[in-house]
Amino acid sequence: MGAFADPGRITRAGLRLHPARRDGRKLLPDLDAAIRACGLRDGATISFHHHLRNGDAVLNQVMDAVARAGLRDITVAASALFAVHAPLIEHIRSGVVTGLAASTIYGPLAVAVSHGILARPVLMYTHGGRARSVESGDLSIDVAFVAAPVADSYGNLNGTHGRAACGPLGYAVTDAHGAERVVAVTDTIVPYPAVPIEIGQDWVDFVVPVASIGDPSLIVSGTTRATADPVALGIAETAARVIAASGLLTDGFSFQTGAGGASLAAAAYLGTIMAERGVVGSFAAGGITAGIVRMFDAGLFRALMDVQAFDIDAVDSFRRSAAHQSMSASMYANPHNRGCVVNRIDASILGAAEIDRTFNVNVTTGTDGIILGGSGGHADTAAGASLTLITTQLVARSHAKVVDDVTTVTTPGETVDVLVTDGGVAVNPRHPELADRLRAAGIPLVGIDDLAAEARRRAGGPARPRAADGRIVAVVEYRDGTVIDMVPAA
Amino acid sequence: MGAFADPGRITRAGLRLHPARRDGRKLLPDLDAAIRACGLRDGATISFHHHLRNGDAVLNQVMDAVARAGLRDITVAASALFAVHAPLIEHIRSGVVTGLAASTIYGPLAVAVSHGILARPVLMYTHGGRARSVESGDLSIDVAFVAAPVADSYGNLNGTHGRAACGPLGYAVTDAHGAERVVAVTDTIVPYPAVPIEIGQDWVDFVVPVASIGDPSLIVSGTTRATADPVALGIAETAARVIAASGLLTDGFSFQTGAGGASLAAAAYLGTIMAERGVVGSFAAGGITAGIVRMFDAGLFRALMDVQAFDIDAVDSFRRSAAHQSMSASMYANPHNRGCVVNRIDASILGAAEIDRTFNVNVTTGTDGIILGGSGGHADTAAGASLTLITTQLVARSHAKVVDDVTTVTTPGETVDVLVTDGGVAVNPRHPELADRLRAAGIPLVGIDDLAAEARRRAGGPARPRAADGRIVAVVEYRDGTVIDMVPAA
């Protein structure tokens, strides 16, 4: 039906829950007690969010407790999984975990999944698609575990304070509103009430204290540092010029970029142009980074719409700025609510592992077929933004990145508008008026077929043909719940 | 099953909704267009909230548009109805409105209802029961109209700013999360995004600008002014002494009082005792008033939990204080979520039109059988608080207020602990240990039967017998959805 199909009237699933007794207590001594109190059983689905990113210590502690409880056949539905979650491999080998779902998977677990460690394919959704899935009932969560930087004993939570403060709890909000049982795991219990409350006591069944929910210094992952590479900086500057020439860069401009190095550099260039022109934007959305906070603090945006802080500067900004607004995963990117924030983005700059001649983008697998990430908000933002730019070098580590066919389709080409590379800028033929604007602004354009040919030439050989068969190890679900691609075993 | 029954596992209703198209616009020219866009039909249920109290101009404007559209047989499910909503009488007479539900009804409409203007009984729920009803699907709302002091064109709303700023939108939150269609009605459109967002764009279908949503100076109704009557002041001081003697007035103390004059005076006395003892409370909840804000600003409470500002001082406090926390109607008082805020209240001071010898309280009807209010949060707070005090004079306008049987049961006696009157203090026999504490503190106690006898004596005659039959004009629903009483035509 395409990326912009109208689903018509829909019905969200009913919610099973266990009302609190008036005198009921929620504070439990440990995770083992929480697992018993939730009545967790073999075959259940449990969920996690990734606000602590590669610093998260909650998932591993919970899974160890699940294993101690002798449970089997558990599905782990995470918003994202990082290198720190490699211990899941052992839980998969032992049969504790037999199902996995995540919008991105990084590190050793991604490699193990790619090689077929699981009998059932992994479900890879988008951030917005995951929210849709929880709300529709497609993803039925028995117990959501929420890593809470601060909690009180009756289940009010926030990420504003605490030793592992992570800022907005946008992904956790959606889980807490959709799970039958919600367990808050915290290392900082404060006196009731834990204001400012991000997730209220009316959504939390139990509170469990642990020694540490994680290492806040590792919220910043490698993907959130700006680039210093001159080629990448050239691409970033061109991307900013494309936006400046698009006609969108006027007062009220709204912007999102991923956490990739080139995207962050492009944001910096864009900020310079905005300051020169005196443009005041309405909001930047995301995943918020230090670079975006600097633009906000400089008055280049009136507000930040934040589902997740990507670094400590963003956490600090969230704590001190009333116009640094949290949003749930659903509000951020779910196509099946009354209007998500990505719909309001003027320009978005996103990265690519590969992009093909119909502008389909792969951020799910490498050319070797190994999972190296996943959509996260990539497909959501591309679909929502008026102007979606993909920035990439033509070649990386002797692999062409502009190709005839992407190894895996993460984001459909119909939602991508411009490709900016070190070999030139290509505009999706769906947008001839945009091409005219860019040419008029002195930005030379090339055809994407030419970029693919140049990439093939520089890479020194034809692209490796995509694996045509083999057991499926991952199903890539588009934000609307349809299957957009599948990943065969590497 | 009693006020404290455990409902076990429950299932909330699924939600019908119409996802936004990516390019969909929400701003409509007027209410007539909104009614068409929502596909409102004969027999539908529409909802309103009462944050603007007797200053609300939205309900009447919407109902006029509903009448203009030629619709019939509409049920109006409001959180509360005030004297300003008297024009509903005409819509009832004309057949536009045939159903009514509200937690409180004041003014000419209450009189008309009491005399049987509607063929179907009015449903009178509690604030928490209404939230339960929306979430369970018992109350299925076709279109929720939200009076929004500030909105942007994509449906982000807040009550923090705007010319009719009313503070928290707690009742509207619950409606927006439960209705098939949500229409925001505003007189202040601001540039996107309308931060700080209280109700997000993901919950709002349409935005309609009107000249005025109401008169903010009328948020303060007659019920929210402190008393100056010396008899009432004596009762208030005694109420504060009872709390001080109860053993609950230690650090972390939590408190709620209604907006009645004696309750507000009691809060002031209580504040003096807290300051003398150096007690720092955890929170005050409600309906927040200027008096409670003063206690908060003086450091007597660490936080305010606020479903609705009762006056302009409370609106100002909400705007400037991060620890002045908004809460939805469900979080406030719904017995069927994972733990509502009333469960955490130590002491609550509430008023009464009548109280009987088993401590049942009536705040729904006068002795003449005419509806004069309704529960609001009365029954919720009484059930949740550890210590519930009822304050009342023995006699008002020659009617006994302590009676053999209340005209209407609003709040069951099992949830009421102490009665404080100008004739003495009575403790519910369910709590002999509390009686001991009060006696030990030098507070003389009397039996409630003696208070009833004294009230009858002062009133100068026997209470008028309760009307035993007659057509039922209102069904009084307890917070758990059971019928606790019915009101016959007056």
Side-chain angles (χ1 to χ4, degrees):
Chain A
M1 303 284 287
F4 307 115
D6 179 2
R9 187 172 87 165
I10 62 170
T11 301
R12 286 198 186 152
L15 175 65
R16 292 189 302 274
L17 62 82
H18 305 252
R21 306 283 303 264
R22 178 212 191 193
D23 298 326
R25 292 175 184 279
K26 298 185 180 182
L27 194 62
L28 297 176
D30 52 36
L31 290 167
D32 306 274
I35 286 168
R36 285 193 300 274
C38 290
L40 196 64
R41 293 184 191 286
D42 290 351
T45 296
I46 63 180
S47 83
F48 299 91
H49 63 84
H50 69 289
H51 289 281
L52 291 169
R53 302 178 65 81
N54 204 36
D56 173 58
V58 167
L59 185 146
N60 291 340
Q61 291 180 74
V62 169
M63 293 315 303
D64 287 349
V66 167
R68 276 197 300 277
L71 292 166
R72 312 275 301 172
D73 200 20
I74 300 295
T75 292
V76 171
S79 53
L81 293 166
F82 288 78
V84 70
H85 301 124
L88 271 174
I89 294 171
E90 208 41 58
H91 292 303
I92 292 169
R93 289 210 177 105
S94 66
V96 173
V97 173
T98 56
L100 210 58
S103 62
T104 51
I105 312 179
Y106 299 108
L109 178 63
V111 175
V113 165
S114 303
H115 287 131
I117 192 174
L118 279 158
R120 282 192 280 153
V122 171
L123 176 62
M124 300 190 73
Y125 29 50
T126 74
H127 283 329
R130 182 174 191 275
R132 181 205 57 72
S133 191
V134 171
E135 291 178 350
S136 71
D138 291 352
L139 174 59
S140 180
I141 300 171
D142 295 295
V143 183
F145 291 91
V146 176
V150 163
D152 64 40
S153 62
Y154 206 62
N156 294 297
L157 316 181
N158 74 64
T160 313
H161 302 292
R163 52 169 290 284
C166 62
L169 298 175
Y171 298 110
V173 167
T174 295
D175 283 16
H177 291 190
E180 179 170 343
R181 289 288 200 182
V182 177
V183 177
V185 183
T186 190
D187 54 19
T188 306
I189 301 257
V190 297
Y192 183 95
V195 290
I197 296 168
E198 283 183 61
I199 297 176
Q201 61 186 49
D202 46 332
W203 295 106
V204 176
D205 293 278
F206 302 112
V207 178
V208 177
V210 294
S212 170
I213 64 167
D215 180 350
S217 71
L218 296 176
I219 291 178
V220 183
S221 74
T223 61
T224 64
R225 297 182 195 286
T227 186
D229 171 55
V231 176
L233 286 174
I235 293 171
E237 184 169 13
T238 303
R241 288 180 56 216
V242 167
I243 293 171
S246 71
L248 294 166
L249 195 65
T250 58
D251 278 343
F253 173 72
S254 56
F255 179 62
Q256 178 165 344
T257 186
S263 301
L264 295 171
Y269 284 114
L270 191 67
T272 304
I273 300 172
M274 291 174 73
E276 283 169 6
R277 291 193 184 178
V279 166
V280 177
S282 54
F283 72 96
I288 296 296
T289 59
I292 297 294
V293 168
R294 277 193 297 276
M295 294 171 77
F296 171 62
D297 285 343
L300 297 178
F301 294 106
R302 283 186 278 100
L304 298 179
M305 301 295 287
D306 193 356
V307 67
Q308 173 193 25
F310 272 149
D311 54 36
I312 299 300
D313 288 8
V315 176
D316 287 342
S317 167
F318 180 64
R319 193 182 294 121
R320 66 183 153 79
S321 300
H324 187 153
Q325 172 79 45
S326 66
M327 57 182 172
S328 71
S330 183
M331 183 176 179
Y332 168 41
N334 174 6
H336 289 184
N337 64 29
R338 293 173 181 137
C340 54
V341 168
V342 297
N343 289 355
R344 298 287 301 195
I345 297 171
D346 286 331
S348 174
I349 302 178
L350 301 168
E354 298 173 324
I355 181 167
D356 71 21
R357 290 158 57 196
T358 57
F359 289 82
N360 291 320
V361 177
N362 167 29
V363 291
T364 302
T365 53
T367 51
D368 53 4
I370 301 286
I371 292 167
L372 50 60
S375 172
H378 196 287
D380 300 307
T381 310
S386 300
L387 174 65
T388 298
L389 288 81
I390 301 295
T391 58
T392 183
Q393 302 192 23
L394 287 181
V395 170
R397 280 164 291 166
S398 82
H399 292 295
K401 299 191 71 178
V402 185
V403 296
D404 289 346
D405 292 292
V406 290
T407 306
T408 307
V409 180
T410 314
T411 296
E414 66 175 309
T415 65
V416 172
D417 305 303
V418 181
L419 169 62
V420 181
T421 73
D422 49 338
V425 176
V427 173
N428 192 322
R430 293 166 175 267
H431 304 296
E433 75 298 342
L434 176 63
D436 292 343
R437 278 180 181 273
L438 300 191
R439 280 192 208 95
I443 298 172
L445 301 182
V446 293
I448 194 164
D449 293 347
D450 298 331
L451 290 178
E454 173 65 12
R456 194 181 317 122
R457 193 187 63 73
R458 290 192 196 178
R464 193 164 72 158
R466 176 174 172 169
D469 52 9
R471 189 159 63 82
I472 299 302
V473 299
V475 171
V476 182
E477 197 177 80
Y478 192 57
R479 61 201 299 253
D480 60 5
T482 58
V483 173
I484 192 167
D485 210 341
M486 292 187 282
V487 179
Chain B
M1 303 282 286
F4 306 115
D6 179 3
R9 188 172 88 163
I10 61 168
T11 301
R12 286 196 186 155
L15 175 65
R16 291 188 303 275
L17 61 83
H18 305 252
R21 305 285 302 266
R22 177 209 189 193
D23 298 326
R25 292 175 184 282
K26 298 185 179 182
L27 194 61
L28 297 177
D30 52 36
L31 289 167
D32 307 274
I35 287 167
R36 285 193 301 274
C38 291
L40 197 64
R41 293 184 192 286
D42 289 354
T45 296
I46 62 180
S47 84
F48 299 91
H49 63 85
H50 69 290
H51 289 281
L52 291 168
R53 300 177 66 84
N54 204 35
D56 173 57
V58 167
L59 185 147
N60 291 339
Q61 291 180 75
V62 170
M63 292 316 302
D64 286 349
V66 166
R68 277 197 301 276
L71 293 166
R72 313 275 301 172
D73 200 20
I74 300 294
T75 292
V76 171
S79 52
L81 293 166
F82 289 77
V84 70
H85 300 125
L88 272 174
I89 294 170
E90 206 43 57
H91 293 303
I92 291 168
R93 288 206 177 106
S94 66
V96 173
V97 173
T98 57
L100 209 59
S103 61
T104 51
I105 311 178
Y106 299 108
L109 178 64
V111 175
V113 165
S114 303
H115 287 131
I117 191 175
L118 279 157
R120 282 191 280 153
V122 172
L123 175 63
M124 300 190 76
Y125 29 51
T126 74
H127 283 328
R130 182 174 189 276
R132 182 205 56 72
S133 191
V134 171
E135 291 179 350
S136 71
D138 290 353
L139 174 60
S140 180
I141 300 172
D142 295 296
V143 184
F145 291 92
V146 175
V150 163
D152 63 42
S153 61
Y154 206 62
N156 294 297
L157 316 180
N158 74 63
T160 314
H161 303 292
R163 51 170 288 286
C166 62
L169 298 174
Y171 298 110
V173 167
T174 295
D175 283 15
H177 291 190
E180 179 170 343
R181 289 288 200 181
V182 177
V183 176
V185 183
T186 189
D187 54 18
T188 306
I189 301 259
V190 296
Y192 182 94
V195 291
I197 296 168
E198 284 183 59
I199 297 177
Q201 61 185 50
D202 48 330
W203 295 106
V204 176
D205 292 280
F206 302 112
V207 178
V208 177
V210 295
S212 168
I213 65 167
D215 180 350
S217 72
L218 295 176
I219 291 178
V220 183
S221 74
T223 60
T224 63
R225 296 182 196 286
T227 185
D229 171 56
V231 175
L233 286 174
I235 293 171
E237 184 169 14
T238 303
R241 287 179 58 216
V242 166
I243 292 172
S246 70
L248 294 166
L249 195 64
T250 59
D251 278 343
F253 173 71
S254 57
F255 180 61
Q256 178 166 343
T257 184
S263 300
L264 295 172
Y269 285 114
L270 191 66
T272 303
I273 299 171
M274 291 175 73
E276 284 168 4
R277 290 193 183 179
V279 166
V280 176
S282 54
F283 72 96
I288 296 295
T289 57
I292 297 294
V293 168
R294 276 194 296 276
M295 294 171 79
F296 171 61
D297 286 343
L300 297 178
F301 293 106
R302 284 186 279 101
L304 299 178
M305 302 295 288
D306 192 357
V307 67
Q308 175 193 26
F310 272 149
D311 54 36
I312 300 299
D313 288 7
V315 176
D316 287 341
S317 166
F318 180 64
R319 192 182 296 120
R320 65 184 155 78
S321 301
H324 188 152
Q325 173 79 46
S326 66
M327 57 182 172
S328 71
S330 182
M331 183 176 178
Y332 167 42
N334 175 6
H336 288 185
N337 64 29
R338 293 175 181 136
C340 54
V341 168
V342 297
N343 289 355
R344 299 286 302 195
I345 297 170
D346 286 331
S348 175
I349 302 178
L350 301 170
E354 297 173 325
I355 181 168
D356 71 21
R357 289 159 56 196
T358 57
F359 289 83
N360 291 320
V361 178
N362 168 28
V363 291
T364 302
T365 53
T367 50
D368 52 4
I370 301 285
I371 293 168
L372 50 59
S375 172
H378 196 287
D380 300 307
T381 310
S386 300
L387 174 65
T388 297
L389 288 80
I390 301 295
T391 57
T392 183
Q393 302 192 24
L394 287 181
V395 170
R397 279 165 292 164
S398 81
H399 292 294
K401 299 192 72 178
V402 185
V403 295
D404 289 345
D405 291 293
V406 289
T407 307
T408 307
V409 179
T410 314
T411 295
E414 65 175 310
T415 66
V416 172
D417 305 303
V418 180
L419 169 62
V420 180
T421 74
D422 50 336
V425 176
V427 174
N428 192 322
R430 293 166 174 267
H431 304 296
E433 75 297 342
L434 176 64
D436 292 343
R437 278 180 180 271
L438 300 191
R439 279 191 209 96
I443 298 172
L445 301 183
V446 294
I448 195 164
D449 292 348
D450 298 331
L451 290 177
E454 174 64 12
R456 194 182 316 121
R457 192 187 63 73
R458 291 193 196 176
R464 191 164 72 159
R466 177 174 172 169
D469 52 8
R471 189 160 63 80
I472 298 302
V473 298
V475 171
V476 182
E477 197 177 80
Y478 192 56
R479 60 201 299 253
D480 61 4
T482 57
V483 173
I484 192 167
D485 210 341
M486 293 187 281
V487 179

